[in-house]
Amino acid sequence: MQSLLDFLLPTNSFMPHGYCFLWQPGLLWLLVVSHLLIALAYFSIPLAIAYFLEKRRDIIFKGLFRLFSGFILCCGITHLFAVIMIWQPYYALEGGLLAVTAVVSLWTAVVLWVLIPKALQIPSPAILLKA
């Protein structure tokens, strides 16, 4: 019987992505650097949101901001894992990470659509200034 670890991290069943592009250094490093820069940006966005929420404690819909942070963090992890996949064929683990990202993404989208009508009822700064 196959263990969970053998399923998630197989050692001989699949080939890493690098074989698909014949280990061409230019393409390899284009992908690695691009994925790492995207991941870096995605990891910084939740930090910026957390900083914003810390400074502005009066913000409503904080849960939505946290969901966006989780969604963006998951997206960053998938890009980071894409770099690992160039050298290691961890397809089941990648699938699990993508499944988590899919759930968080859909959850965020549903909550956003539910909250839009409530958010549209919030007076704009211009309306508040006139009042």
Side-chain angles (χ1 to χ4, degrees):
M1 186 165 153
Q2 187 179 30
S3 74
L4 179 61
L5 193 58
D6 290 335
F7 175 72
L8 292 176
L9 305 172
T11 56
N12 60 3
S13 300
F14 302 107
M15 293 187 308
H17 285 167
Y19 284 103
C20 296
F21 51 83
L22 306 175
W23 299 107
Q24 293 180 15
L27 186 53
L28 183 141
W29 290 112
L30 173 65
L31 292 170
V32 168
V33 170
S34 297
H35 278 300
L36 289 176
L37 290 174
I38 292 167
L40 180 64
Y42 277 162
F43 294 150
S44 74
I45 293 168
L47 293 174
I49 291 172
Y51 177 79
F52 177 78
L53 292 176
E54 177 64 27
K55 295 297 182 185
R56 288 289 308 269
R57 295 181 182 264
D58 61 330
I59 296 295
I60 57 174
F61 306 125
K62 282 187 181 186
L64 181 61
F65 280 91
R66 290 186 183 110
L67 271 176
F68 268 115
S69 294
F71 157 67
I72 294 166
L73 184 63
C74 286
C75 290
I77 291 169
T78 63
H79 280 279
L80 187 61
F81 206 76
V83 173
I84 294 168
M85 292 293 293
I86 290 173
W87 288 280
Q88 298 297 324
Y90 299 149
Y91 291 99
L93 184 55
E94 179 187 38
L97 291 171
L98 290 170
V100 168
T101 302
V103 169
V104 173
S105 300
L106 286 172
W107 184 12
T108 303
V110 167
V111 170
L112 177 61
W113 281 106
V114 167
L115 290 179
I116 283 176
K118 294 176 186 174
L120 289 173
Q121 293 175 358
I122 299 171
S124 69
I127 291 173
L128 290 174
L129 284 173
K130 286 180 183 177

